[in-house]
Amino acid sequence: MKTTLIIGAGGVSRVVVHKCVQNADIFGKIVLASRTLKRCQDIRDELPNAAIEVASVDADSTDEVIKLINSCNPSIVINVALPYQDLAIMDACIATKTPYLDTANY
């Protein structure tokens, strides 16, 4: 089964998660991660019938993002975190050879 890792749990993330769930045949299971687990849980709770797991990650830490990627083995990482976290997430994706989609540029 495909897995999509979405990093960030703000307003943009909420929209991205809803759209990915609507297209579950493409995006598969979703792992939603942010520093604040409660925000991830709130988004997950809006979609009770969807395959969404939540995780806590410090997106400033490339090593933490690498650990998360290795634990959930996503087909793609969608970055909807803060713009200053782009490089740490991108570096983790390069290190793990995971496709990366960035929506949070300066």
Side-chain angles (χ1 to χ4, degrees):
M1 173 189 252
K2 293 178 188 176
T3 299
T4 298
L5 172 58
I6 300 171
I7 300 178
V12 174
S13 176
R14 177 171 272 108
V15 173
V16 170
V17 171
H18 278 257
K19 287 298 182 182
C20 288
V21 167
Q22 289 175 355
N23 295 284
D25 56 321
I26 296 169
F27 293 99
K29 177 182 79 176
I30 295 168
V31 177
L32 177 59
S34 178
R35 186 181 316 239
T36 309
L37 194 58
K38 173 78 167 93
R39 294 179 76 170
C40 297
Q41 293 166 334
D42 289 345
I43 294 170
R44 179 194 60 197
D45 292 347
E46 295 172 5
L47 300 156
N49 297 322
I52 301 173
E53 295 179 12
V54 297
S56 179
V57 68
D58 178 357
D60 293 323
S61 168
T62 299
D63 290 337
E64 273 198 43
V65 177
I66 288 172
K67 286 179 190 175
L68 178 60
I69 290 171
N70 287 334
S71 73
C72 65
N73 193 29
S75 304
I76 190 168
V77 172
I78 300 175
N79 176 8
V80 289
L82 298 172
Y84 64 82
Q85 296 168 318
D86 288 358
L87 292 178
I89 298 168
M90 190 182 312
D91 287 344
C93 289
I94 290 169
T96 58
K97 296 183 168 98
T98 305
Y100 172 79
L101 176 65
D102 190 346
T103 64
N105 280 317
Y106 290 102

